[in-house]
Amino acid sequence: MSKPKMQHCFNCGEALGVYETYCGDGPEVCGSSECNREARNAESEARASRFAEAMEDDFNRYNGGW
């Protein structure tokens, strides 16, 4: 189990409290509309990057390298 520590918003850095590392979907944000939007944009960019990497690999990592 990880040690509790101060967690911060992904976008603005606002302190969110002391607890174990966040394990939810996507980056943790304070709840403001701007921070939520930035988190969604970051997730979209990461998803697109993973898809592009998989295409470059001809999806071999997913089909067992056939």
Side-chain angles (χ1 to χ4, degrees):
M1 200 180 247
S2 61
K3 181 179 176 183
K5 65 178 187 175
M6 179 62 75
Q7 303 296 322
H8 296 88
C9 176
F10 162 79
N11 187 53
C12 69
E14 179 181 334
L16 301 174
V18 177
Y19 51 93
E20 291 181 18
T21 304
Y22 177 70
C23 296
D25 294 335
E28 188 169 21
V29 295
C30 63
S32 75
S33 59
E34 179 181 345
C35 293
N36 286 333
R37 181 176 50 251
E38 288 301 320
R40 284 192 308 272
N41 290 343
E43 282 295 301
S44 294
E45 289 173 10
R47 192 176 314 110
S49 175
R50 288 191 305 268
F51 184 75
E53 289 173 5
M55 285 187 63
E56 289 172 5
D57 186 25
D58 198 26
F59 295 93
N60 282 331
R61 72 181 89 181
Y62 302 106
N63 64 21
W66 303 326

